[in-house]
Amino acid sequence: MKKDSYIQLLEKPELISQEHLSDITAIIQEYPYFQSARALRLKILKNQESYKYNNELKITASHTSDRTVLFDFITSETFKEVPKKEEKTSLKEKILPKIKTTKISIIEENLAIGKPLSFTENETFSFNQWLQLSSKKTIARTSNNKTPKELVKETPVKSKHEAIIDRFIETTPKISRPDKTNISDIKISENQQNNQLATETLAKVYLEQKKYDSAIQAYKILSLKYPEKSGFFADQIKRIQILQNNK
């Protein structure tokens, strides 16, 4: 891609199209930490409503020095603007009958699972939740060319100070559990905070992460906040419960 063409896309991201994807991908492969190129690639995937967008958003964030700039970009009107698609009916669609989709696939489509997540300027919490790693794996480290099994068999020799601390922990009386009837102020404040932060985007984030219980809870909170949409949220909850039972 020529320098002038690339600068024009940076100045007017709405001009970017599928035709630019291969060129921008090639730039990223050569310069993995080229932040503006990754941002433009995000725009292309967003326009396509590609299932790759959500994961690409995480990758782009990990290569971005200032995530607030990235957040401002993906919540801007320019980024959200999608060019009109030309309606084309292929010969295959005219001749071949449409394939019946399964019940689960229909539910996933209704829940918009796999569709690009769209954040607003007030949803930094939802954005940060999406960037969190779903799981953490411990790294098995070896030393002195020993295998992990050999390292496990070795029991470290405790010092006198460590032995004294161990005896103290064993002999010190344990603190009794608080009465269940007493509700702490901390839990109340946390619940209030969760109620304020609950949005439809956050519920979709939990769905993409397959945190179904959290998604259901988010929709329940939204149902109380927006009673005029309680019917829609109730349908979403039912669909999620079906996914839970068939996972």
Side-chain angles (χ1 to χ4, degrees):
M1 177 178 288
K2 293 182 180 180
K3 181 180 177 181
D4 293 340
S5 300
Y6 185 81
I7 293 174
Q8 185 182 21
L9 291 177
L10 289 178
E11 293 175 346
K12 297 180 179 180
E14 65 273 12
L15 298 178
I16 201 165
S17 65
Q18 169 68 21
E19 298 174 357
H20 300 108
L21 181 60
S22 58
D23 291 335
I24 292 175
T25 301
I27 293 173
I28 293 172
Q29 289 174 348
E30 188 171 356
Y31 307 102
Y33 290 90
F34 198 179
Q35 297 175 22
S36 62
R38 288 192 175 275
L40 290 176
R41 178 177 163 83
L42 271 182
K43 173 64 175 169
I44 297 174
L45 295 177
K46 174 73 172 179
N47 291 349
Q48 293 177 332
E49 293 188 350
S50 172
Y51 70 93
K52 297 179 180 180
Y53 170 84
N54 293 333
N55 188 59
E56 188 68 23
L57 178 58
K58 285 185 178 181
I59 298 172
T60 303
S62 66
H63 287 79
T64 303
S65 57
D66 188 352
R67 291 182 178 178
T68 57
V69 176
L70 174 63
F71 182 73
D72 291 340
F73 176 63
I74 66 172
T75 56
S76 66
E77 292 299 324
T78 302
F79 184 81
K80 292 180 180 180
E81 185 179 353
V82 179
K84 294 181 180 179
K85 297 179 180 179
E86 296 181 3
E87 294 184 0
K88 294 181 180 180
T89 306
S90 64
L91 182 63
K92 184 177 181 180
E93 290 176 339
K94 290 179 180 178
I95 299 174
L96 297 178
K98 292 184 178 180
I99 302 172
K100 293 183 180 180
T101 55
T102 62
K103 186 177 181 180
I104 297 300
S105 63
I106 294 173
I107 290 173
E108 290 178 345
E109 185 177 350
N110 290 333
L111 291 171
I113 293 177
K115 297 288 185 180
L117 296 169
S118 181
F119 300 94
T120 64
E121 294 178 358
N122 300 322
E123 291 184 313
T124 53
F125 177 77
S126 301
F127 178 66
N128 291 328
Q129 282 294 109
W130 173 245
L131 295 183
Q132 287 181 357
L133 295 176
S134 58
S135 62
K136 296 181 179 179
K137 297 181 180 180
T138 55
I139 301 173
R141 302 181 184 275
T142 59
S143 60
N144 299 328
N145 298 323
K146 293 182 180 180
T147 64
K149 289 184 178 180
E150 291 173 339
L151 290 172
V152 171
K153 290 180 181 179
E154 291 183 359
T155 56
V157 179
K158 293 184 178 180
S159 65
K160 290 183 179 180
H161 294 289
E162 290 175 330
I164 292 171
I165 292 172
D166 289 342
R167 285 199 301 272
F168 174 77
I169 293 172
E170 291 175 0
T171 57
T172 301
K174 296 180 179 179
I175 301 172
S176 59
R177 294 182 179 178
D179 189 355
K180 292 182 179 179
T181 57
N182 295 332
I183 302 174
S184 64
D185 295 335
I186 296 175
K187 288 185 177 180
I188 294 174
S189 62
E190 286 178 354
N191 289 334
Q192 290 175 346
Q193 186 183 28
N194 290 337
N195 291 345
Q196 293 173 355
L197 297 173
T199 63
E200 290 188 53
T201 304
L202 180 60
K204 291 178 181 178
V205 165
Y206 288 141
L207 269 177
E208 293 292 339
Q209 295 173 334
K210 297 184 179 180
K211 297 178 180 178
Y212 299 124
D213 290 333
S214 298
I216 290 172
Q217 183 61 26
Y219 278 123
K220 285 181 179 179
I221 294 171
L222 289 170
S223 183
L224 296 174
K225 288 175 67 176
Y226 308 104
E228 68 276 7
K229 295 182 66 176
S230 59
F232 168 73
F233 296 137
D235 289 339
Q236 296 295 81
I237 290 172
K238 289 178 182 178
R239 293 180 179 119
I240 296 170
Q241 288 172 338
I242 294 174
L243 285 182
Q244 275 186 308
N245 295 332
N246 290 274
K247 64 179 181 178

